[in-house]
Amino acid sequence: MGGMSPLLRRKEKKRPDERMVTLIGKPGCHLCDDAQEVIEKVCAEVGAPWEKKDISQDAELYRLYWEQIPVVLVDGEQHTFWRVNPDRLRRALEG
């Protein structure tokens, strides 16, 4: 496999408890509240940890995401924004 293109190599599959879901939002955002409900439910079902970050407390997050909140990251990579589809999030976490 040493000569195989990186595009063709499969990533090592992680268990849900080895993943990290990050919700980026701000207080008073009803879409953020809706996203949190979905994230809490899905993460509890699959055993994945999650965290919440407030763009009003972080200038870099604000610069990157202010037009898209809520934004959901999985392992630091953008998964979705505005609305969270529970089935899609579950598939992402379960691999």
Side-chain angles (χ1 to χ4, degrees):
M1 278 216 335
M4 186 180 287
S5 165
L7 296 175
L8 299 176
R9 288 187 206 139
R10 293 179 187 234
K11 288 185 176 179
E12 186 176 323
K13 187 175 175 178
K14 291 183 177 180
R15 297 185 327 251
D17 65 334
E18 298 174 319
R19 314 301 299 265
M20 174 56 76
V21 177
T22 304
L23 170 61
I24 300 170
K26 67 179 183 177
C29 167
H30 74 282
L31 288 177
C32 300
D33 295 339
D34 293 347
Q36 182 172 333
E37 285 183 32
V38 173
I39 291 167
E40 285 177 341
K41 182 176 189 248
V42 171
C43 287
E45 288 172 4
V46 303
W50 73 278
E51 62 183 355
K52 185 168 151 180
K53 295 189 176 182
D54 180 352
I55 65 163
S56 67
Q57 302 298 314
D58 186 313
E60 182 64 10
L61 290 178
Y62 184 87
R63 185 185 70 75
L64 291 170
Y65 300 117
W66 71 274
E67 292 181 313
Q68 297 179 332
I69 63 163
V71 174
V72 178
L73 310 177
V74 175
D75 295 337
E77 294 184 20
Q78 189 167 338
H79 171 75
T80 194
F81 61 96
W82 294 338
R83 301 242 182 241
V84 183
N85 179 296
D87 295 327
R88 183 169 176 259
L89 179 58
R90 191 176 292 107
R91 283 191 305 270
L93 295 172
E94 291 178 334

